[in-house]
Amino acid sequence: MPIVVDIDVMLARRKMSVGELAERVGITPANLAVLKNGRAKAVRFTTLAALCEALSCQPGDLLRWEEGAGGDGEPEE
């Protein structure tokens, strides 16, 4: 999928753990990992809004479109 999720970049910038973010957002660490690793098929706007609030960022800081990106966020060959 050409949508790449950059939650790990924002976590590093904010010096926040996956567990702390999951707690702040109100989702399980496992579900956050699915989203973070680019394996999610969809994300609710309420979850996206909660992520943006917890990370003090915009949706575009977390999601980007990349031509030819595979399901793991890496470009397809």
Side-chain angles (χ1 to χ4, degrees):
M1 175 180 297
I3 301 297
V4 179
V5 182
D6 287 327
I7 290 175
D8 53 344
V9 173
M10 292 306 298
L11 283 170
R13 287 183 183 167
R14 302 296 188 253
K15 296 180 172 74
M16 188 182 301
S17 70
V18 171
E20 182 181 350
L21 179 59
E23 186 175 315
R24 288 185 183 195
V25 172
I27 61 176
T28 66
N31 283 340
L32 182 56
V34 167
L35 182 59
K36 183 175 91 64
N37 295 324
R39 295 189 316 261
K41 300 292 182 196
V43 61
R44 293 176 190 255
F45 282 152
T46 53
T47 302
L48 183 58
L51 286 165
C52 290
E53 183 177 355
L55 293 167
S56 299
C57 67
Q58 294 294 313
D61 296 326
L62 301 176
L63 304 172
R64 63 186 162 88
W65 180 82
E66 188 173 287
E67 188 172 357
D72 58 1
E74 295 297 320
E76 293 178 345
E77 296 183 27

